[in-house]
Amino acid sequence: MQQIDVRTIAPRQRHPLIFSTFDSLLVGDSFELVNDHAPTPLYYQFLHEREGLFDWEYLEEGPETWRVQITRTADQAGS
């Protein structure tokens, strides 16, 4: 599984990288996101922009490191 550690990436580049990585996944594939804070805003952005297309599973929840497995569950909403 691919890992994206956004702690070393400029903040303005993080979400575009995460979404382009997600968009390149095949259904059933995942990547692991590593961050230094809770990725709650990103989760809500996924809910808004990729509704019905993903699964979000916390692997580690702080206090210094958050790890999330993001899985593509469908090609398009309702699929």
Side-chain angles (χ1 to χ4, degrees):
M1 176 172 42
Q2 179 181 1
Q3 184 183 78
I4 299 175
D5 187 340
V6 296
R7 296 174 293 185
T8 61
I9 298 171
R12 72 182 188 289
Q13 297 173 339
R14 292 176 183 181
H15 286 206
L17 173 63
I18 292 164
F19 279 97
S20 68
T21 300
F22 176 81
D23 290 341
S24 72
L25 295 176
L26 299 174
V27 173
D29 287 347
S30 305
F31 69 94
E32 180 182 331
L33 173 70
V34 180
N35 206 347
D36 60 1
H37 62 273
T40 307
L42 177 66
Y43 175 73
Y44 286 113
Q45 188 176 358
F46 261 91
L47 282 177
H48 178 72
E49 296 182 15
R50 302 296 188 278
E51 181 181 1
L53 302 180
F54 73 98
D55 183 52
W56 182 279
E57 179 184 351
Y58 283 100
L59 305 174
E60 185 176 348
E61 295 185 67
E64 294 180 17
T65 303
W66 277 259
R67 294 172 40 240
V68 180
Q69 180 175 330
I70 303 172
T71 303
R72 184 170 197 120
T73 59
D75 282 329
Q76 57 185 357
S79 292

